[in-house]
Amino acid sequence: MSEAVSRYRDPAGESPTWRVLLTLVAVAFLAIVVILPLITVFYEAFRKGAAAFFEAFQEPDAIAAIRLTLTVAAIAVPLNLVFGVAAAWAIAKFDFRGKTFLVTLIDLPFSISPVISGLVYVLLFGAQSYLGPILKSQGIQIIFALPGIVLATVFVTFPFIARELIPLMQEQGTGDEEAALSLGATGWQTFWYVTLPNVKWGLLYGVLLCNARAMGEFGAVSVVSGHVRGLTETMPLHIEILYNEYNFAAAFAIATLLALLALVTLALKTLLELRYGDEIAAGRKH
Amino acid sequence: MTRWRQPSILPGFGLTLGYTLLYLTLIILVPLAALVWRSTGIGWSAFWALAFDQRTLLALRVSFGAALIAAAVNVVFGVVVAWVLVRYDFPGRRLVDAIIDLPFALPTAVAGISLAALYAPKGWIGQIFAPLGIKIAFTPLGIVIALIFVGLPFVVRTVQPVMAELDREVEEAAATLGANRFQTLAQVVLPMLVPAILTGFALAFARAVGEYGSVIFIAGNVPYVSEIAPLLIVIRLEEFNYAGATSIACIMLIISFCMLLIINMLQMWSRRRYSNV
C-alpha cells in the first residue's frame, strides 16, 4: 500500500527529478541576479569597517543629500497622491468616451526613459529655452534647483498611485456611494466615509511604491540637478559622486540606506498583499 | 445627440476630471510638447544629420541590442521562475516570491554600483571569469547583465498570474490522451502562455531601452562600443548641444510610443484569448 502511494505520480505534473531541477535553476538564477547584488551593497559598505561606514553619514554633503531626498519625496508624493485620487474618481466611478486613451496617457511616463523625463524640463525651463530669460529676469530658478528636481520626480512617479487605485475602484463599482448619497450624505462625506475606507490599503500600497521610486530616482533628477554639492544633490546623485571619486566605502554606506528603504518597501508591500490581498488591486494580479 | 458620458448621480465628475486633465497637461503633455517643438526648430536635414551620425547610431544599437538580449534571457529564466513559484511548493517560496520585486524597489544607482563591484575583475563574479579571459564589467556584456536585473520582474509578474489561471484539466486531458509531459508542456501549456510571455518580453525590453542608472556604472561608457543612447543624451546636454540631445530623445520617444502601441495590442490580444477561460 505505502509502496503504491510512493510510486504514484501526478500524470499532469513533472517528475520529482524535474521539479527539483527546475526549482534549483530558478533559485540559482534569482540568487545570482537579485540576491547577490543586494548582499554586495552591505558587504562593500562594511568592508572598511563600521567606523568608515558611520563616518559617511557625518559628512555635511551626505546629510544635505538625505535632507534634499526627503524634501523632494515629501512634495512629490502628496502631489501625485491628490492627482491619483482625483483621476481614479473620474475614471473609475464614471463612464465617458476617451477613457481608455486617458489611461494610456497616464501610463505614458512608464515608457519614457528617465533621462528624457529630465530633458523635457531642461528644454522647457532651462537658460536656453523660450521661458529661460523671462524666468531669469524674475529671479526664478527651476533647472539646477529644487523645483526642477521636484518636477522631474513628479514626472517619473506620476502613474504609480493612479494606476493602483483605478482598477481597484473600478472593481468596487458605485453601489456603496449611491447608497450613501441616497441616504442623504453629501458628496464630500461619501468620499471621506465610504470611498476612502474602501480603498485605504490600495492607496497605501500605491504611496509606498511611489515613495520608493521618488527617493531612488536617478536618471531624471541627474539631468535637472546640476550636481551642486550640498545643494542640489539627492542621495542617489551623492552616491554617484562618491563612487566616481573612488570613495567606495562611503558610496556603498549611503547606498545601504536606499537598499534598506527598498527592503522595507518590499516587506510592507508583501504584508499588504498577504493581509489585504482582496482590498488592493495588485493583490489580485498575482 | 449621443452623450459623451453616461449619466450618474455621483458628484465631482467635472472637478476630478478637470483636475486630472490639467495636471496631466502641465506635468506630462506640455513638457513632451516642448521636446517635439524644439526638435522641429532644428530643421529636417540638421535633425537627420544629428540623429543618424555614427556615434548616435552605435549608441542606439548598443541600447536596443543589449535590451533585446536581456529581455530574451529574462523570458527563458522568468518563465521557469514563474512556473516554479506557481506550481511547486518548497521552503522559502514566499520569500523568493517577494524578492522578485527587488529590482523594482531598489534605486537604479544602488543597483548600478553594486553590479559594477560584483562583476569587476576583482569582484565576486568577475574574478571567476577573469582567468578565462572574459571581461564582464566595463564591456557591452555588463550592460546586458544590468538590464537582466532591471527587466526580470516584468516578465515574472506578467506571466505568473496567467499561469495561476491555467486550467489543469487540460493538461490531464493531454496526459490521458497519451501525451508525455514534455509534449503537454510544449504543445498545450506553452501556446496558452504565448501572449503573456510576449507582453512580458515587450515590457522588459521597453524598460531596458531607456534604462540609465543601473547601466552607466557597469558599462564602461566607451564611445562607439559600450555607450548607451540615454547616456549620449546626457553627454550632449553637458556639451550644451541641445539640438543633439533633442534629436536623440525624439528618436527614442518615437520608438517608445511604438513599443507602447505594441504592448497595448498584445494585452488586448491576450485578454481576448482568455476572455472565454
Side-chain angles (χ1 to χ4, degrees), chain A residues 12 14, chain B residues 83 87 162-163 166-167 170-171 174 181-195 197 273-274:
Chain A
E14 288 80 52
Chain B
W83 185 259
R87 286 295 173 94
V162 180
M163 269 180 187
L166 283 181
D167 190 357
V170 180
E171 292 165 53
R181 189 59 190 156
F182 181 76
Q183 285 172 320
T184 309
L185 286 179
Q187 294 174 23
V188 178
V189 176
L190 197 61
M192 294 197 277
L193 295 177
V194 165
I197 291 175
R273 202 158 164 158
Y274 294 105

Side-chain angles (χ1 to χ4, degrees), chain B residues 67-126:
Chain B
L68 206 65
I69 299 170
V73 171
N74 273 332
V75 159
V76 175
F77 287 97
V79 167
V80 173
V81 169
W83 185 259
V84 166
L85 287 175
V86 170
R87 286 295 173 94
Y88 306 162
D89 207 4
F90 54 94
R93 191 180 61 89
R94 275 253 161 80
L95 193 70
V96 172
D97 192 77
I99 211 83
I100 303 274
D101 283 325
L102 187 77
F104 276 150
L106 195 69
T108 53
V110 177
I113 60 169
S114 169
L115 289 169
L118 201 51
Y119 288 91
K122 284 187 180 163
W124 286 341
I125 296 182

Side-chain angles (χ1 to χ4, degrees), chain A residues 12 14 23 30 33 37 40 80 83 86-87 89 94-97 108 111 113 119 121 123 128 154 181 269 285, chain B residues 2 4-6 10-11 13 16 20 23 27 38 83 88 96 101 114 116 118 149 161 181 210 242 249 256-257:
Chain A
E14 288 80 52
T23 309
L30 288 174
V33 171
T40 304
N80 282 338
F83 159 73
W89 181 267
F94 298 90
D95 266 319
F96 56 94
R97 259 190 236 171
L108 207 56
S111 43
S113 173
L119 172 71
Y121 288 109
L123 294 178
Q128 29 61 47
V154 167
L181 286 167
K269 178 178 169 300
K285 274 185 252 149
Chain B
T2 53
W4 74 281
R5 81 170 176 103
Q6 299 291 311
L10 297 192
F13 177 71
T16 52
T20 301
Y23 190 74
I27 299 289
R38 285 292 282 270
W83 185 259
Y88 306 162
V96 172
D101 283 325
S114 169
L118 201 51
F149 175 83
R181 189 59 190 156
Y242 293 99
S256 298
F257 286 150

Side-chain angles (χ1 to χ4, degrees), chain A residues 58-228:
Chain A
Q58 312 282 313
E59 211 205 337
D61 288 345
I63 296 167
I66 295 169
R67 191 172 295 144
L68 181 62
T69 295
L70 293 175
T71 311
V72 169
I75 303 171
V77 176
L79 280 175
N80 282 338
L81 174 66
V82 172
F83 159 73
V85 171
W89 181 267
I91 290 168
K93 300 288 179 190
F94 298 90
D95 266 319
F96 56 94
R97 259 190 236 171
K99 199 151 105 168
T100 324
F101 183 62
L102 182 58
V103 174
T104 310
L105 283 183
I106 290 175
D107 274 347
L108 207 56
F110 275 146
S111 43
I112 293 175
S113 173
V115 168
I116 297 177
S117 313
L119 172 71
V120 291
Y121 288 109
V122 175
L123 294 178
L124 196 61
F125 297 120
Q128 29 61 47
S129 70
Y130 297 105
L131 289 173
I134 303 167
L135 290 170
K136 199 176 177 193
S137 69
Q138 300 293 315
I140 302 169
Q141 197 176 11
I142 293 181
I143 299 306
F144 306 152
L146 180 69
I149 298 174
V150 170
L151 279 172
T153 307
V154 167
F155 188 109
V156 290
T157 58
F158 185 84
F160 278 87
I161 295 170
R163 194 176 218 211
E164 176 58 31
L165 282 183
I166 291 168
L168 177 64
M169 280 167 67
Q170 254 167 350
E171 204 157 307
Q172 289 177 346
T174 53
D176 289 1
E177 283 80 8
E178 279 160 6
L181 286 167
S182 65
L183 290 169
T186 65
W188 190 244
Q189 284 172 325
T190 306
F191 171 74
W192 200 252
Y193 294 110
V194 177
T195 310
L196 210 54
N198 273 344
V199 299
K200 59 176 184 286
W201 297 117
L203 197 65
L204 181 60
Y205 190 92
V207 168
L208 269 174
L209 299 184
C210 183
N211 179 63
R213 180 67 195 265
M215 289 191 174
E217 178 51 31
F218 178 72
V221 170
S222 162
V223 171
V224 296
S225 126
H227 305 275
V228 186

Side-chain angles (χ1 to χ4, degrees), chain A residues 30-43:
Chain A
L30 288 174
I32 294 170
V33 171
V34 182
I35 297 174
L36 217 47
L38 182 66
I39 295 172
T40 304
V41 175
F42 292 94
Y43 172 77

Side-chain angles (χ1 to χ4, degrees), chain B residues 17-71:
Chain B
L17 186 70
Y19 182 72
T20 301
L21 292 176
L22 178 73
Y23 190 74
L24 177 76
T25 307
L26 287 179
I27 299 289
I28 309 290
L29 300 182
V30 169
L32 283 180
L35 174 71
V36 177
W37 174 251
R38 285 292 282 270
S39 70
T40 58
I42 299 171
W44 189 243
S45 59
F47 179 86
W48 207 253
L50 285 167
F52 294 104
D53 83 334
Q54 189 66 12
R55 189 165 170 192
T56 312
L57 275 182
L58 284 173
L60 286 169
R61 202 178 78 176
V62 169
S63 272
F64 281 89
L68 206 65
I69 299 170

